[in-house]
Amino acid sequence: MKALATLLASAAIAVAAPAAAQSFVVTNATVASGDGSEPIESGYVVVENGKVSAIGSGTPASNLPAIDANGAWVTPGIFATLTSLGLWDVGAVSESNDTRAGGAPFSAALDVAPVINPSSQHILVHRASGITRAATVTLPSSSIFGGQGAVIDLGADPDAVTQARAFQVVALGEYGGRIAGGSRVATHTLLRAALREASANRAATSADIRSDEVLLTRFDAAALAPVVRGEQPLYVYVERASDIRSTLALKREFPRLDLVLVGASEGWLVAREIAAAGVPVIADGLDDLPANFEELAATQSNIGRMVKAGVKVALNAAAMENPRNLNQYAGNLVALTRMPGADGLSWGQAFAAITSVPASISGMGGQAGVLAPGAMGDLVIWDGDPLQVGSMPVKVFIDGVEQPLDNHQSRLKERYRDLDESDLPKGYDW
Amino acid sequence: MKKYTLLACAAAFAVAGCSTTGGDGLASASTKDWTAPVGKDGNAPFPSTYTPYPGRPTALIGATVYDGRGGRIDNGTVLFRDGKVVAVGDASLATEGYDRIDGSGKFVTPGVIDIHSHLGDYPTPSVQAHSDGNEATSPMTPEVWAEHSVWPQDPGFTRALANGGVTSLQILPGSANLTGGRSVTLKNVSARTVQGMKFPGAPYGMKMACGENPKRVYGGKGRTPSTRMGNFAVNRQMWLDAEAYDGKKRDLGKETLKGVLDGEILVHNHCYRADEMALVMDMAKEMGYKVTAFHHAVEAYKIGDLLRENDVCSAIWADWYGFKMEAYDGILENAALLRQADACVVIHSDDENGIQRLNQEAAKAQAAGHRLGIDIPDAEVVGWFTYNAAKAMGIAEMTGSLEAGKMADVVLWNGDPLSVYSRPEKVWVDGALMFDAMDRKRRPVSDFELGQPGEGDVK
């Protein structure tokens, strides 16, 4: 806690105007770069004009304002994929919740970018938990296609969207089957029809195709055209080993597809095939129950086994109660390395699975989720090991800008720090 | 694709209730001449057939021992035999006649207890055919018993044992109803029947729910209650009707309610909002019963003083928030602020995954307190998922702490149980070794999993 006190005292950086990228150096830090390597003791990070310019061990030659971390952990911001951050306020209050559009006439054309709310309390809460960027998307509901997700930052500014239309999602397996008409068979037929229609998108605009022969609206078909061309990744929600194989086989018909598997609870059973296909996975971290018949082989060792087989794996934030539990899940994967028969991840691998790997899968490789020269100045100074339960950020920077960490929750905490109402009701305590 | 709720919701129906311990001082005078019926053989129906499995006299030595009641012994010794804890002490305790297990660098706690689980009632696979947790056909179903829905083959029991060190758990009906029915307390042992898991001598609980769920479920059916005031009206009339019950013509629902009024059945009340909990406590005073614990009490921190004065525990998550309107004010500091007010804290799961990490949830809540300047010793935090849970379930005389004469429900952790990097290495239930990370045959595999992909895997 001494490190924490020192950090709080060194407020020099915090006085800079918000929204202006700062230049500074963090010294005397335990630096985890996010690239899969183990942490560096007594390290430093230099941030110039909003970008990381150097990291290393020892003391940098620099005249920039310095923050002495006093041994505390410094890391890239956590990159959360997949999330619904910015799309809702209260889950069960449907008016506030833009994560589903079951009655919409559109599917693949849906695009979250214009509706991300950077003032959402969930963005504020997760910023304070060390998440600096996220991939956000709606759930498939009116069709097996969920629409186009965006990469966002969690900064306290109006510009949340880092990359619009960064990927398209499609649900296969049990969930997709229910949407498509009642079975997996329908999903595959629908998917192929849609992709063929998209690849012949010119035809969809011509008058010689009768509307009842067209499964997609023109907008949806147009939205899928970059998927077929391999210019936009297609995230496929799939769990069962056989469904994973069928997904990988899609590339025989549509060779340019840029596939990403999401979920993949039985991925370990087909890990070598996934690795050979070069397809990355956004996997559910700790699933170990046969939650349904497509996850009979679920085990917490799934990710460790896939990584061992050479698969690029990120942790899926959608599979947990809150994305802010990503670090807890990653820590659990480290714990598995001490269990006979289990397969876990090293600390560096586990941390990469919530930083550089999801960033890379999201098209932000080398720019986000990593402390390396040229990367965005997204960094977090922690009050403890960032994979340990209970560790929280002391300072968060996004694009080199120090971020406010207060939110609805922190205000409630302060209001109810005591229950004293002897002078005035709690309503005046703000 | 399972839990892609993408932050958006927790299954409202899966969320359950709350209750209180004891019943001291509040027994209704009108019930003195009434005795709960028993079966024709003189026993309570569906009696437990659980008997402890054979164990070896065991001495755990050299570990850091948390006794569950705030005690910590470094380089401690825990002795158990014949299913019972014999002694807990330091390295000077004699261990002749015991198998010695070296716990150096490791930790020992009582078995973990989850006060709020739906395992068996909402088992995996989570298919409709398995959805047995809410008798959502009337806002009051005190006549249903959760044990009649429990599927003992739910693989979730084994994960809770192996990954969570869970040795006892309370299965509650869901929260669709204002009064959801009786809970059942189980020992977490693999069994062919639910009777084979029933915790011998555990009192029944009764699940109640206030707030959004009952009014949504029944309002959605176009019947009362459709508002919070409707919730209270239906509840109060139910208690008034129950009080008049004389038992001459058996009524299963009224038998349960009478059991509550007599203080024999503990009320576990699902309730999120502080103002609503205060109303429930007043209703309990009016009607002559006691709330043992509020479950999911995300706003408990706003009324720590009231909860302390009414001797009501708060069974809570560490960090769930925002998934429904009444969870909007959930904060990480809930447990720590309750503790600061000297109110009772229990960490619960209500979740087949969360039950595998109750220790980690407690650690998160502890850390949030630390940042607020409320330092809570590790040994006390362990009590949030052991002794305090047992107390609120009415089984603390038998388990929940490492004390001579109690059930030898024990976890040997391979590191600090409040660290994310630690896992249960061995788990004993009544002195029998029921999980051993070092022995793959000491890992139960449910009937459902036999012959399936991943059978017997580490999970």
Side-chain angles (χ1 to χ4, degrees):
Chain A
M1 280 306 113
K2 271 184 191 162
L4 175 56
T6 308
L7 280 169
L8 292 173
S10 67
I13 293 298
V15 299
Q22 295 153 311
S23 297
F24 58 94
V25 55
V26 182
T27 61
N28 193 18
T30 302
V31 179
S33 71
D35 67 0
S37 58
E38 297 300 301
I40 307 166
E41 303 289 330
S42 303
Y44 64 84
V45 182
V46 185
V47 176
E48 291 184 89
N49 302 315
K51 290 188 182 298
V52 176
S53 61
I55 82 163
S57 60
T59 308
S62 168
N63 294 324
L64 295 172
I67 300 172
D68 183 346
N70 207 6
W73 290 75
V74 177
T75 72
I78 290 171
F79 193 112
T81 188
L82 290 163
T83 78
S84 56
L85 291 170
L87 291 181
W88 61 285
D89 293 302
V90 177
V93 175
S94 58
E95 304 91 322
S96 83
N97 187 334
D98 294 318
T99 59
R100 288 178 172 83
F106 298 107
S107 56
L110 298 172
D111 175 4
V112 298
V115 307
I116 300 293
N117 174 16
S119 302
S120 157
Q121 284 298 326
H122 304 289
I123 285 191
L124 272 58
V125 163
H126 284 82
R127 176 200 305 152
S129 300
I131 295 175
T132 54
R133 307 233 171 218
T136 278
V137 70
T138 47
L139 274 169
S141 40
S142 70
S143 151
I144 59 173
F145 295 103
Q148 301 164 94
V151 174
I152 64 170
D153 72 64
L154 276 61
D157 60 65
D159 304 319
V161 176
T162 308
Q163 189 189 345
R165 298 174 295 283
F167 56 97
Q168 174 69 246
V169 301
V170 65
L172 300 182
E174 289 183 10
Y175 181 74
R178 283 199 297 277
I179 298 173
S183 87
R184 285 178 172 81
V185 181
T187 62
H188 278 272
T189 308
L190 176 57
L191 175 63
R192 283 170 169 77
L195 294 181
R196 284 177 198 157
E197 211 164 289
S199 54
N201 190 31
R202 295 174 313 279
T205 62
S206 70
D208 61 348
I209 293 194
R210 297 212 325 264
S211 62
D212 61 358
E213 292 175 344
V214 180
L215 282 165
L216 300 176
T217 70
R218 278 184 293 143
F219 284 122
D220 291 320
L224 286 174
V227 169
V228 179
R229 293 197 297 265
E231 294 161 6
Q232 185 187 53
L234 180 64
Y235 288 17
V236 183
Y237 294 158
V238 71
E239 302 284 358
R240 196 169 72 185
S242 66
D243 289 335
I244 292 171
R245 287 196 177 103
S246 298
T247 302
L248 298 178
L250 284 169
K251 291 193 72 153
R252 290 203 292 269
E253 290 169 69
F254 304 96
R256 300 176 76 173
L257 282 183
D258 183 5
L259 295 173
V260 176
L261 304 176
V262 180
S265 290
E266 292 193 346
W268 66 275
L269 291 172
V270 285
R272 280 184 297 183
E273 292 158 65
I274 300 171
V279 170
V281 179
I282 300 170
D284 299 350
L286 298 175
D287 285 358
D288 60 2
L289 286 164
N292 45 53
F293 279 87
E294 62 186 3
E295 296 180 76
L296 294 177
T299 165
Q300 295 182 22
S301 293
N302 184 37
I303 290 177
R305 291 170 186 172
M306 285 195 287
V307 168
K308 194 180 275 185
V311 181
K312 181 196 281 191
V313 185
L315 281 186
N316 186 12
M320 52 195 69
E321 186 59 33
N322 289 306
R324 68 178 172 189
N325 289 332
L326 275 166
N327 50 353
Q328 179 185 5
Y329 276 51
N332 273 278
L333 297 181
V334 177
L336 288 179
T337 60
R338 301 173 58 199
M339 298 298 288
D343 291 281
L345 299 178
S346 70
W347 194 98
Q349 288 173 324
F351 193 63
I354 58 173
T355 52
S356 63
V357 176
S360 163
I361 291 172
S362 305
M364 306 290 292
Q367 300 172 69
V370 68
L371 295 178
M376 293 163 164
D378 299 351
L379 70 163
V380 180
I381 306 178
W382 300 82
D383 65 3
D385 171 356
L387 296 189
Q388 185 58 274
V389 278
S391 292
M392 288 291 269
V394 179
K395 288 177 182 289
V396 174
F397 298 85
I398 296 177
D399 286 325
V401 179
E402 182 164 7
Q403 298 293 319
L405 301 182
D406 55 323
N407 53 56
H408 180 66
Q409 292 191 323
S410 66
R411 298 300 302 277
L412 281 165
K413 169 192 70 177
E414 292 303 329
R415 172 173 280 189
Y416 287 97
R417 206 182 248 278
D418 64 58
L419 297 175
D420 182 12
E421 293 185 299
S422 54
D423 289 333
L424 280 171
K426 280 292 174 193
Y428 295 82
D429 188 0
W430 59 279
Chain B
M1 156 150 177
K2 88 218 94 298
K3 201 178 174 181
Y4 296 129
T5 52
L6 289 164
L7 262 185
C9 65
F13 286 105
V15 192
C18 95
S19 108
T20 82
T21 48
D24 25 316
L26 286 171
S28 166
S30 68
T31 64
K32 288 294 184 218
D33 56 352
W34 182 81
T35 308
V38 294
K40 287 180 179 167
D41 61 356
N43 290 322
F46 318 104
S48 170
T49 58
Y50 168 77
T51 50
Y53 282 84
R56 304 268 314 159
T58 302
L60 303 179
I61 58 170
T64 302
V65 177
Y66 294 124
D67 69 9
R69 300 194 70 175
R72 170 187 174 134
I73 306 169
D74 294 321
N75 191 18
T77 302
V78 176
L79 305 179
F80 52 88
R81 70 158 69 223
D82 301 327
K84 302 279 194 240
V85 176
V86 174
V88 180
D90 61 21
S92 66
L93 270 182
T95 59
E96 287 88 44
Y98 292 86
D99 294 350
R100 288 161 58 92
I101 294 179
D102 182 9
S104 303
K106 300 174 185 175
F107 288 68
V108 178
T109 70
V112 175
I113 300 175
D114 191 359
I115 194 174
H116 194 122
S117 174
H118 299 295
L119 289 178
D121 281 5
Y122 283 113
T124 51
S126 307
V127 293
Q128 180 59 34
H130 272 165
S131 177
D132 291 316
N134 271 307
E135 183 56 40
T137 49
S138 163
M140 299 170 292
T141 55
E143 68 274 18
V144 307
W145 295 21
E147 64 202 76
H148 299 144
S149 278
V150 170
W151 184 43
Q153 299 300 333
D154 182 354
F157 289 117
T158 69
R159 312 299 194 267
L161 176 76
N163 300 334
V166 172
T167 55
S168 299
L169 66 171
Q170 174 169 239
I171 312 301
L172 292 152
S175 54
N177 300 348
L178 293 164
T179 303
R182 290 197 195 198
S183 69
V184 63
T185 294
L186 305 177
K187 305 280 298 199
N188 194 15
V189 289
S190 184
R192 291 173 293 153
T193 64
V194 70
Q195 294 94 322
M197 303 174 77
K198 275 182 83 171
F199 193 117
Y204 277 105
M206 187 177 82
K207 169 66 173 295
M208 298 188 73
C210 67
E212 292 178 18
N213 292 9
K215 75 165 191 148
R216 185 191 69 241
V217 171
Y218 294 98
K221 297 175 196 276
R223 58 158 299 178
T224 188
S226 68
T227 61
R228 284 180 156 84
M229 58 188 173
N231 285 353
F232 275 84
V234 172
N235 266 339
R236 293 173 74 218
Q237 192 62 51
M238 176 190 77
W239 289 116
L240 293 173
D241 292 348
E243 198 175 17
Y245 178 62
D246 60 11
K248 285 177 184 155
K249 180 174 183 298
R250 286 191 68 181
D251 179 307
L252 294 175
K254 297 247 172 41
E255 286 178 9
T256 295
L257 296 171
K258 277 292 195 184
V260 172
L261 292 171
D262 283 353
E264 293 167 359
I265 295 178
L266 312 179
V267 172
H268 293 270
N269 206 140
H270 157 129
C271 214
Y272 285 69
R273 249 169 47 183
D275 57 322
E276 207 157 20
M277 286 187 264
L279 287 168
V280 168
M281 287 189 280
D282 274 359
M283 173 168 64
K285 282 176 193 160
E286 179 195 13
M287 296 298 165
Y289 71 98
K290 186 176 186 308
V291 179
T292 295
F294 286 116
H295 291 222
H296 318 331
V298 299
E299 287 192 10
Y301 65 94
K302 297 182 181 179
I303 52 163
D305 48 356
L306 277 180
L307 292 162
R308 177 190 65 240
E309 289 157 15
N310 285 278
D311 188 27
V312 181
C313 288
S314 299
I316 55 178
W317 302 287
D319 58 6
W320 289 26
Y321 82 106
F323 49 92
K324 59 201 296 195
M325 199 63 228
E326 62 195 4
Y328 195 66
D329 282 3
I331 64 172
L332 286 161
E333 293 78 9
N334 195 10
L337 289 169
L338 281 166
R339 191 268 193 180
Q340 179 176 260
D342 290 324
C344 164
V345 175
V346 179
I347 299 292
H348 73 358
S349 81
D350 186 28
D351 185 81
E352 67 273 23
N353 294 300
I355 194 173
Q356 302 177 42
R357 290 177 282 281
L358 287 169
N359 55 316
Q360 295 177 21
E361 299 307 301
K364 280 193 273 188
Q366 176 193 34
H370 178 75
R371 286 190 297 275
L372 199 58
I374 303 171
D375 283 313
I376 309 162
D378 292 354
E380 187 181 329
V381 171
V382 167
W384 291 352
F385 54 89
T386 58
Y387 183 78
N388 285 9
K391 191 176 71 151
M393 289 158 64
I395 55 173
E397 298 292 309
M398 296 175 273
T399 188
S401 59
L402 299 175
E403 295 177 90
K406 282 196 171 183
M407 293 166 166
D409 298 339
V410 184
V411 183
L412 176 67
W413 303 80
N414 66 5
D416 178 353
L418 298 179
S419 165
V420 76
Y421 302 124
S422 302
R423 305 265 302 204
E425 186 173 299
K426 292 179 168 56
V427 184
W428 291 266
V429 180
D430 285 299
L433 184 60
M434 304 308 284
F435 170 72
D436 186 351
M438 307 303 176
D439 176 3
R440 63 184 304 272
K441 296 302 284 183
R442 288 274 166 176
R443 181 183 301 136
V445 174
S446 81
D447 290 359
F448 177 76
E449 298 181 278
L450 284 180
Q452 306 270 29
E455 172 193 342
D457 198 358
V458 287
K459 297 301 180 184

